[in-house]
Amino acid sequence: MGSREVRKNQTLLCAPIMAETVDKMVINMDTAKQSGADLVEIRLDSLKSFNPYEDLKTLIKECPLPTLFTYRPKWEGGQYDGDEKKRLDALRLAMEFGADYIDVELQVAREFNESIFGKKPEKFKVIVSSHNYHDTPSVEDLGNLVARIQETGADIVKIATTALEISDVARIFQITVHSQVSSVPIIAIVMGERGFISRILCPKFGGFLSFGTIESGVVSAPGQPTMKDLLTLYNFREIGPDTKVFGIIGKPVGHSKSPILYNEAFKSVGFNGVYVPFLVDDVAKFLQTYSSIDFAGFSCTIPHKEDALKCCDEVDPVAKSIGAVNCVIRRPTDGKMFGYNTDYVGAISAIEDGLRGSHNISASADSPLAGKLFVVIGAGGAGKALAYGAKEKGAQVVIANRTYDRARELANTIGGDAVTLADLENFHPVDGMILANTTSIGMQPKVDETPIPKHALRFYSLVFDAVYTPKITRLLREAEESGATIVSGSEMFIGQAYEQFERFTGLPAPKQLFRKIMAKF
């Protein structure tokens, strides 16, 4: 495997194997090897029927990778609901037949380890695990838990907790680093969507192992990424202690294409960074919790652009007048946070290019937006950015929003008019207007929604949609059918990404590569 060549960490990648039959497990083991896994976790509790003597021999003999056997009981979140002695006997048998690792739960670990004392094969290791499906305890409680696990005679400690918010993961990182100092191998994972970064960043903090699934959607615990994403999207093998962490702060954040874009770009220029999705509920708490300069820069998206601005030590004048940032950089010398807004640059230049293209205006002329009526749908961070940018280029700006008061407030700030979203249906002071949707109306999964009825689109010469998933929204499709030039959100996305990449890395953005990557979506 090519992915084996560059390794900046010793963290192993384990593929959980869950199947109802031994035959299916054997097939999945081969898939796991092909996908780049270092070992497999064989979940015996997923088998519909299990004959320990025969099946363990087959599984160990047929497996092309080192094996970890887990026989998880119902009381620890697994599927086994039978006799406890039979369960532990099967694990002891796996050890005798040549398993590399077995996982036993903290509750039964002491007596289990005593029962195999003096019988352990040389390279065989016992992982003692504790799973908390409710929350992530304090650092002190986690420290005590690790000590309790060690006292049972564990070779490797495993703790899995649940993230109620992304700040919980920081405590698991702290415990992982602390365990390095006392040289105890530790697997420390935070389950759930808010714990996702624990699975990607564990090699940075020295975790023993992370889990990646062989197919998407088939997980053995909530929030598991696929092996393919870990290796090829997040470049897992190249994450080391000195890797800088960047990411997108949003809610939701799963739809974002930013990780694909930045990670591929980082790799292409040899920049030691990783870019991850941060599902954040409270921005101020997130930025206070991850205050190390290793967390070096953030893209901000809906709904956090305004709150992120308040957390910055300094804000560039454009972002200040917009009242929103979409990029926060942490200065490496003192950790101070600087806020920028690159949204409007990407969007406005894409709209100008669209207008120039449709009227063959030379690029050297004044902005084709000068004197145009420019309708912005939405009064949030992105709406402010576009309104500000259009005004700066000499357009007359009208803000349309569901609630009139928010539209009025923004219109007063930048010097423009305000209408409600419902008013747009019959809004037609002039022909050849420009429309810019900055709300999430029409974004996946609600692709059949649109902010404005089709018959009203004939009054516009150009329609822009900040939504870029899907690339052609219902709004853009209907605008094109009505004869307008359309500009998709991916143009805005690329434009702001160039500038963010340069702020993150201090290197020129690989523009050709960015376009090539975006073309795949």
Side-chain angles (χ1 to χ4, degrees):
M1 289 290 298
S3 58
R4 293 288 159 87
E5 291 153 25
V6 187
R7 266 208 173 176
K8 293 204 184 143
N9 62 67
Q10 296 303 303
T11 305
L12 300 174
L13 271 180
C14 179
I17 304 288
M18 297 182 75
E20 296 190 348
T21 67
V22 171
D23 289 348
K24 181 84 171 91
M25 278 187 169
V26 170
I27 294 167
N28 289 351
M29 289 170 180
D30 284 325
T31 309
K33 185 178 167 70
Q34 284 154 21
S35 67
D38 297 307
L39 72 158
V40 293
E41 178 188 34
I42 297 166
R43 286 288 300 264
L44 296 172
D45 51 305
S46 68
L47 288 169
K48 275 284 173 275
S49 73
F50 175 47
N51 172 345
Y53 194 86
E54 296 300 318
D55 294 345
L56 289 170
K57 272 198 162 156
T58 304
L59 288 165
I60 292 168
K61 184 169 131 292
E62 297 291 331
C63 191
L65 290 169
T67 53
L68 152 59
F69 282 90
T70 301
Y71 203 178
R72 193 74 73 220
K74 275 229 165 106
W75 50 261
E76 186 84 1
Q79 299 177 37
Y80 179 78
D81 202 12
D83 175 66
E84 197 54 14
K85 185 180 175 306
K86 274 188 185 156
R87 185 175 79 87
L88 299 176
D89 280 346
L91 290 173
R92 280 186 281 263
L93 201 55
M95 173 188 84
E96 284 167 35
F97 287 165
D100 298 275
Y101 306 89
I102 57 167
D103 175 319
V104 288
E105 300 74 22
L106 172 58
Q107 230 166 298
V108 295
R110 186 183 294 275
E111 52 182 302
F112 181 85
N113 282 333
E114 282 167 5
S115 78
I116 61 170
F117 187 75
K119 302 175 192 163
K120 280 164 77 170
E122 198 187 339
K123 287 186 176 165
F124 168 79
K125 299 267 191 286
V126 176
I127 298 169
V128 174
S129 63
S130 160
H131 296 76
N132 178 333
Y133 293 98
H134 305 292
D135 56 15
T136 299
S138 67
V139 169
E140 191 183 351
D141 287 350
L142 288 169
N144 292 337
L145 177 62
V146 170
R148 271 179 36 227
I149 291 175
Q150 280 177 266
E151 282 160 18
T152 66
D155 298 307
I156 297 162
V157 171
K158 178 186 176 188
I159 50 174
T161 65
T162 299
L164 301 179
E165 56 179 359
I166 196 165
S167 305
D168 296 344
V169 184
R171 301 199 286 283
I172 286 291
F173 290 154
Q174 222 175 317
I175 287 295
T176 307
V177 170
H178 184 76
S179 299
Q180 297 309 108
V181 181
S182 52
S183 71
V184 184
I186 185 166
I187 303 165
I189 296 291
V190 190
M191 298 180 284
E193 203 185 343
R194 285 167 175 75
F196 185 71
I197 60 169
S198 69
R199 300 172 179 282
I200 301 167
L201 297 180
C202 72
K204 176 171 173 61
F205 300 102
F208 180 74
L209 174 158
S210 191
F211 294 93
T213 65
I214 54 174
E215 47 188 319
S216 55
V218 184
V219 299
S220 64
Q224 277 175 354
T226 63
M227 193 66 71
K228 184 171 183 272
D229 279 354
L230 283 173
L231 288 169
T232 59
L233 167 51
Y234 296 108
N235 304 317
F236 188 87
R237 302 286 190 208
E238 289 156 50
I239 299 172
D242 50 355
T243 299
K244 295 267 183 254
V245 181
F246 301 87
I248 180 159
I249 297 174
K251 183 184 177 183
V253 81
H255 68 284
S256 173
K257 302 287 190 269
S258 296
I260 301 172
L261 194 67
Y262 290 104
N263 285 316
E264 198 163 324
F266 288 168
K267 194 176 184 172
S268 80
V269 300
F271 178 76
N272 186 9
V274 62
Y275 188 103
V276 298
F278 293 115
L279 177 59
V280 171
D281 299 287
D282 177 337
V283 185
K285 188 172 182 185
F286 169 79
L287 291 169
Q288 276 160 7
T289 305
Y290 296 96
S291 58
S292 137
I293 57 167
D294 275 8
F295 287 80
F298 310 97
S299 312
C300 306
T301 186
I302 299 169
H304 295 317
K305 295 182 185 200
E306 288 103 333
D307 287 341
L309 181 140
K310 296 173 194 145
C311 302
C312 294
D313 298 294
E314 287 184 36
V315 178
D316 96 291
V318 172
K320 199 170 267 178
S321 37
I322 292 169
V325 297
N326 75 324
C327 179
V328 175
I329 302 292
R330 193 172 259 132
R331 189 161 62 188
T333 48
D334 56 8
K336 276 203 155 69
M337 289 192 292
F338 290 77
Y340 302 93
N341 194 308
T342 65
D343 270 341
Y344 81 104
V345 185
I348 294 296
S349 53
I351 291 168
E352 286 181 326
D353 290 348
L355 287 169
R356 288 194 182 104
S358 60
H359 303 298
N360 299 320
I361 305 168
S362 72
S364 59
D366 285 344
S367 171
L369 285 171
K372 285 271 196 297
L373 194 86
F374 194 107
V375 179
V376 177
I377 300 177
K384 286 177 183 168
L386 264 109
Y388 176 90
K391 185 79 183 170
E392 211 185 27
K393 298 287 188 179
Q396 288 173 266
V397 177
V398 175
I399 310 295
N401 198 54
R402 276 191 179 134
T403 52
Y404 178 76
D405 289 349
R406 276 207 75 181
R408 186 69 269 168
E409 196 184 328
L410 176 53
N412 289 346
T413 311
I414 59 143
D417 292 316
V419 294
T420 67
L421 192 49
D423 292 336
L424 278 189
E425 188 168 345
N426 302 306
F427 183 75
H428 177 210
V430 292
D431 280 337
M433 299 185 291
I434 291 159
L435 183 68
N437 173 43
T438 68
T439 71
S440 56
I441 297 170
M443 185 163 99
Q444 282 168 353
K446 299 182 175 174
V447 294
D448 49 355
E449 294 186 357
T450 180
I452 179 172
K454 184 174 179 179
H455 68 82
L457 291 170
R458 65 182 188 277
F459 308 128
Y460 296 88
S461 62
L462 181 143
V463 175
F464 163 81
D465 197 339
V467 173
Y468 69 93
T469 51
K471 201 167 194 170
I472 301 296
T473 55
R474 178 177 167 190
L475 171 65
L476 291 181
R477 191 178 67 246
E478 293 182 346
E480 194 167 40
E481 289 163 1
S482 309
T485 301
I486 60 168
V487 177
S488 107
S490 63
E491 290 299 320
M492 166 178 169
F493 178 75
I494 282 187
Q496 56 82 29
Y498 290 157
E499 200 167 323
Q500 288 200 42
F501 180 88
E502 294 179 1
R503 291 193 190 279
F504 289 160
T505 63
L507 301 165
K511 295 190 175 182
Q512 247 52 50
L513 179 73
F514 272 17
R515 292 217 164 261
K516 201 177 106 194
I517 298 166
M518 288 303 289
K520 293 180 199 164
F521 304 138

